[in-house]
Amino acid sequence: MLEKANSCYWPALQSMFKDVSTSLEEAKDVNLHLQPLRILLEEMEQADYSQLQPYVDRALCTVCLLRAHCQHYSSPARVIVVLQEICNLLIEMTRNFLSPEDVMKGLQGEIEETLEGIRLSISTIEKLFQSYSTYCSDLMPTLLPEDPQLWEFPPSLIFRRTDSFLHRLKTIEELYQTAIEFLKLEKAELGGVRGNILGSQVFRIYEEVSELSKSFADCKYDPLDPAEEQLNKDFVEFQKKIQDVDRRLATIFCQGFDDCNCLASAVKLVHMFASLLERPLIKAEVSPYYSALLGMFKAELENVKVLYDAQTASPLPPGGSPAINKNMPLVAGQLKWALELQQRLEGPHRDLFAIRHPVMVSAEAKLVSGEYKEMMGLLQGYREKVYEEWVRRVSQDCQFSLEQPLILRDPVSSILSVNFSKELIAVLREVKYLNFQQQKDIPGSAESLFAQNETFQKFVDNLDLIVGWYNEVKRRLLPVELPLVAVELEAVDGQLASAEHTLFWHHEGVMEYIHEMRDILYDLQARVQKAKLNMDSITQLMEVAFAGALRECSATPLFERKDSKEAALLDLDGKANTLTKRYAAISDAGTKIQEMMEENADLFKADKSSQIWLDYVGYIDAIVLDGFFSLVHKSLQLLLTNMAPETTGLGAGGGTRDVKYHAGH
């Protein structure tokens, strides 16, 4: 209508329509290309902060594609706005994750947990810079080959606020890291002469740093606001005080190191202060001590080399191997000795070169490490040589030792002994201790022998009993007793002959044979022992003072003075009563002797009518007669004593005549 009327508004309307159409197309294009980014950012807002980094990466990639494919977002101004909004979103999410009210309170409690959250936040924001560099800078010439310069605008236009926020997070991280490093001093213990003094100084440093750190927890400002300058001022003051603490701690460390009397304690001290020693002021003070550690390890190497040379150069004893450990067999002892020397070097070397310091990768350190490897090679070679020599001879020792009879008899005394060879014992002990040391490739012959160790132990234990009982019987029997068991002993000797000549350790039926002989010898030894006990009881009845009824007969005289006074006359009135008591006691002893003799006859399985038994009875009769002779001798001795003039008190002649008169009656 306006066109037909040739209205003056027609050109303006045409221009407006064109602008609206263009804007509509632009809006459709922008909406189309911003839709994926909008969806991604919504998902990003809902995601857990610990899972945020993949979203950051995808968001920057989407922005890159947006500029490459969206005509209306190809201008830097619009892309800068989008990136700034993404940065602001990430900053806000980080603030919500750390919480400005709680981020500094972690210094009073869960310090490591809070630090972990701060580090996650720093990593997430650094991921933003990394993704920007990857997608929006490096890949832009590929995505826009016709105009690769479109993205070349200062990153500060985008990341000025983000850079400040990241710097603030790193400041808080440094504060936490410093607090954690000094927190380790709480339980630090120093040894040496001045250990208590230095330890108390270290603990005071810990308390000071703890108070400095906790002062930040009470701050009234927002620590996550980069525009807040008060935190920066407080942190500068904190660093000044920490520098003074570093100098004091470096002095304490140097004094503690000087007190260390061995490499192990010095290395332990370094590891105790490990993270603190990397602080610049402390590191400058303690650097010379790392060279001292190398010197101490080198001296330890020389000490081990001296021990090794002395051991390998010492003359061999008659056994063929140098004695090392009195509580271990030869081979296992030598292997253990070499292993302990290796462990003596291995642990300190591992701990020493675990220290991160330029000295530990210097030419001197490489030289010391080469000497260590050489010494370890010598010790390992020594162990292999000793073990190989043992392996070469162990099979022969096992075979020879197993092909020996069970027992040996002395040709002169006929005494028996168990023939379990020293070589066999040595092999069993070696395998036992080699298993303790977890030695590999033990020869099969030795392993199979050791597998029977319990069986051999049972053999030896039972044979020890058999041999002990046999030898006890042979030694304890008197000449008068030996004929009583001569037939049994001959039968036993006949049965033992196979163990002396033909029955070897590896033969079948050894245990059955041992059980049979053990029962036979146990019966014989028990009977002989009981018979000997009976004979001892008979002897005690007749000879030992105060050992039974007859004891009184031999210990106390038949006639005693009245009231037990030396000047009194003999008590003849009580003679009949005393005789009755003594006779009863002798009769009782005689009855006991008869019972024991009957028991011995059964124990010896003797023929009571044989001359052998009669000789034995005669031997016992002689013991009984000796007891009577002792009684008579005691009574006569009293009479002789009382006939002495000086004991009567009646003069030289009267007392003697009285005694003779009464004696005659």
Side-chain angles (χ1 to χ4, degrees):
M1 184 182 295
L2 293 176
E3 180 181 4
K4 291 179 179 181
N6 196 18
S7 173
C8 62
Y9 293 103
W10 174 242
L13 181 61
Q14 282 184 317
S15 176
M16 181 184 298
F17 180 78
K18 184 179 180 180
D19 291 341
V20 170
S21 298
T22 303
S23 298
L24 180 59
E25 291 298 325
E26 179 182 351
K28 290 180 179 179
D29 183 65
V30 169
N31 181 66
L32 176 65
H33 288 89
L34 285 181
Q35 186 69 16
L37 182 61
R38 182 180 65 82
I39 296 174
L40 182 61
L41 293 179
E42 289 177 354
E43 292 178 358
M44 182 175 169
E45 288 182 293
Q46 298 299 323
D48 187 79
Y49 192 85
S50 60
Q51 306 295 325
L52 205 59
Q53 292 190 22
Y55 289 96
V56 173
D57 198 55
R58 290 160 55 190
L60 268 293
C61 180
T62 304
V63 172
C64 180
L65 293 173
L66 172 67
R67 187 172 185 202
H69 297 285
C70 183
Q71 178 183 358
H72 302 91
Y73 259 83
S74 60
S75 64
R78 289 197 170 186
V79 173
I80 288 174
V81 171
V82 171
L83 291 174
Q84 285 178 341
E85 290 300 323
I86 292 176
C87 291
N88 291 337
L89 174 63
L90 189 59
I91 290 173
E92 189 62 27
M93 293 181 69
T94 302
R95 286 175 56 84
N96 293 335
F97 172 68
L98 294 177
S99 178
E101 296 80 11
D102 300 330
V103 67
M104 302 302 284
K105 295 186 182 300
L107 293 169
Q108 292 181 325
E110 303 295 334
I111 185 169
E112 292 185 358
E113 182 179 346
T114 306
L115 178 59
E116 184 179 350
I118 295 171
R119 286 174 173 169
L120 175 61
S121 301
I122 293 174
S123 174
T124 302
I125 294 178
E126 287 179 343
K127 181 64 177 178
L128 175 67
F129 289 97
Q130 180 184 351
S131 299
Y132 174 81
S133 177
T134 300
Y135 294 108
C136 301
S137 294
D138 298 340
L139 293 181
M140 208 60 215
T142 304
L143 297 174
L144 297 174
E146 68 283 355
D147 192 6
Q149 306 299 323
L150 290 177
W151 204 276
E152 291 186 359
F153 48 81
S156 59
L157 296 176
I158 305 171
F159 299 115
R160 181 180 291 110
R161 184 168 182 260
T162 308
D163 280 333
S164 299
F165 185 73
L166 180 61
H167 178 72
R168 175 56 58 89
L169 289 179
K170 289 185 176 180
T171 299
I172 298 175
E173 179 193 25
E174 184 177 352
L175 176 62
Y176 268 86
Q177 184 61 41
T178 302
I180 287 179
E181 288 176 352
F182 283 92
L183 184 64
K184 298 175 182 178
L185 298 178
E186 181 182 9
K187 298 181 180 180
E189 295 184 4
L190 281 75
V193 178
R194 294 176 291 181
N196 290 334
I197 298 175
L198 297 179
S200 61
Q201 294 176 2
V202 169
F203 188 75
R204 282 198 296 271
I205 289 177
Y206 157 75
E207 290 181 329
E208 291 177 18
V209 176
S210 180
E211 289 299 322
L212 289 174
S213 301
K214 290 179 180 179
S215 64
F216 284 91
D218 301 327
C219 65
K220 304 301 181 181
Y221 48 79
D222 183 358
L224 294 179
D225 184 5
E228 179 58 65
E229 290 296 326
Q230 186 60 42
L231 177 63
N232 294 333
K233 295 177 182 178
D234 292 344
F235 186 69
V236 170
E237 291 298 321
F238 175 78
Q239 286 182 312
K240 291 180 181 179
K241 294 178 180 179
I242 290 298
Q243 288 177 355
D244 177 65
V245 169
D246 286 345
R247 295 186 184 94
R248 290 160 54 194
L249 191 60
T251 302
I252 293 173
F253 175 84
C254 295
Q255 293 175 346
F257 192 95
D258 293 336
D259 279 351
C260 293
N261 57 0
C262 65
L263 175 63
S265 60
V267 172
K268 183 178 180 181
L269 180 66
V270 172
H271 284 289
M272 186 187 303
F273 291 91
S275 58
L276 292 169
L277 296 181
E278 296 299 320
R279 301 183 65 80
L281 289 177
I282 300 178
K283 188 174 183 178
E285 291 289 333
V286 304
S287 287
Y289 290 96
Y290 290 98
S291 298
L293 284 175
L294 279 179
M296 296 172 70
F297 183 71
K298 188 174 182 179
E300 186 72 6
L301 277 172
E302 293 173 354
N303 292 336
V304 171
K305 185 64 166 62
V306 170
L307 291 174
Y308 173 80
D309 291 340
Q311 180 63 28
T312 55
S314 59
L316 297 180
S321 299
I324 292 181
N325 194 320
K326 65 180 181 179
N327 295 323
M328 296 182 69
L330 291 176
V331 175
Q334 293 178 81
L335 296 179
K336 183 66 174 178
W337 171 81
L339 180 62
E340 288 175 347
L341 288 184
Q342 286 180 304
Q343 293 172 343
R344 177 176 173 177
L345 295 176
E346 188 177 11
H349 178 268
R350 180 183 60 252
D351 295 338
L352 178 62
F353 283 88
I355 299 173
R356 297 180 179 179
H357 193 271
V359 173
M360 298 306 162
V361 293
S362 63
E364 182 184 3
K366 292 179 181 177
L367 180 62
V368 172
S369 186
E371 294 176 357
Y372 161 78
K373 292 179 181 178
E374 180 183 358
M375 190 67 245
M376 293 293 285
L378 289 175
L379 292 171
Q380 185 62 28
Y382 176 84
R383 297 184 75 234
E384 292 174 357
K385 178 183 176 182
V386 169
Y387 187 68
E388 289 173 359
E389 290 178 353
W390 178 73
V391 168
R392 282 197 298 268
R393 67 173 186 271
V394 68
S395 297
Q396 182 179 355
D397 290 345
C398 293
Q399 185 65 25
F400 175 78
S401 300
L402 290 175
E403 294 179 352
Q404 298 295 316
L406 300 180
I407 58 177
L408 293 176
R409 183 184 294 272
D410 185 272
V412 178
S413 62
S414 295
I415 296 300
L416 298 180
S417 61
V418 180
N419 188 29
F420 199 69
S421 68
K422 295 180 180 179
E423 291 81 5
L424 204 56
I425 296 174
V427 171
L428 291 173
R429 291 192 68 216
E430 293 288 5
V431 176
K432 176 182 178 181
Y433 282 92
L434 290 176
N435 285 331
F436 287 159
Q437 299 175 21
Q438 298 181 347
Q439 180 68 41
K440 299 179 180 179
D441 301 326
I442 297 177
S445 58
E447 283 280 20
S448 61
L449 181 68
F450 185 74
Q452 305 177 63
N453 184 39
E454 293 186 5
T455 301
F456 287 132
Q457 188 63 50
K458 292 179 181 178
F459 288 175
V460 172
D461 291 343
N462 283 279
L463 286 172
D464 282 337
L465 291 175
I466 292 172
V467 168
W469 291 334
Y470 180 87
N471 293 338
E472 180 184 356
V473 170
K474 295 283 286 187
R475 290 192 183 103
R476 294 191 62 185
L477 284 176
L478 298 174
V480 71
E481 297 171 323
L482 186 59
L484 294 172
V485 293
V487 176
E488 284 190 78
L489 284 176
E490 289 179 4
V492 169
D493 289 339
Q495 292 175 295
L496 291 175
S498 60
E500 298 177 41
H501 303 291
T502 60
L503 188 59
F504 298 160
W505 292 96
H506 63 285
H507 285 175
E508 296 290 337
V510 173
M511 182 56 76
E512 291 76 7
Y513 171 82
I514 289 176
H515 285 165
E516 180 183 357
M517 293 308 303
R518 186 186 64 184
D519 294 340
I520 294 173
L521 266 299
Y522 173 75
D523 176 67
L524 177 60
Q525 184 269 346
R527 289 188 287 111
V528 171
Q529 184 180 31
K530 179 59 178 175
K532 297 295 291 185
L533 290 175
N534 288 339
M535 179 178 287
D536 292 340
S537 299
I538 293 172
T539 303
Q540 290 176 1
L541 283 172
M542 304 306 300
E543 295 182 354
V544 179
F546 307 103
L550 194 58
R551 166 182 70 193
E552 299 178 359
C553 301
S554 58
T556 306
L558 186 61
F559 300 103
E560 294 184 298
R561 294 185 180 275
K562 292 181 179 180
D563 301 326
S564 300
K565 297 180 179 179
E566 292 185 359
L569 295 176
L570 293 177
D571 184 14
L572 298 180
D573 297 335
K575 179 181 68 173
N577 186 36
T578 302
L579 285 174
T580 301
K581 291 181 180 180
R582 294 295 170 81
Y583 183 78
I586 292 172
S587 298
D588 183 59
T591 302
K592 292 180 180 179
I593 291 173
Q594 288 293 334
E595 292 175 354
M596 286 186 282
M597 288 296 294
E598 290 293 333
E599 184 178 7
N600 279 9
D602 295 335
L603 294 172
F604 285 127
K605 300 180 181 180
D607 181 3
K608 296 181 181 180
S609 62
S610 65
Q611 186 60 42
I612 297 174
W613 176 254
L614 295 178
D615 293 341
Y616 180 75
V617 172
Y619 178 80
I620 300 300
D621 289 344
I623 295 175
V624 175
L625 287 176
D626 287 341
F628 282 112
F629 289 152
S630 176
L631 173 63
V632 174
H633 178 269
K634 188 70 176 180
S635 299
L636 292 176
Q637 185 65 41
L638 178 63
L639 292 176
L640 290 175
T641 301
N642 283 276
M643 286 190 293
E646 59 272 14
T647 63
T648 61
L650 300 174
T656 302
R657 285 193 298 272
D658 289 341
V659 171
K660 287 181 179 180
Y661 174 77
H662 291 297
H665 284 73

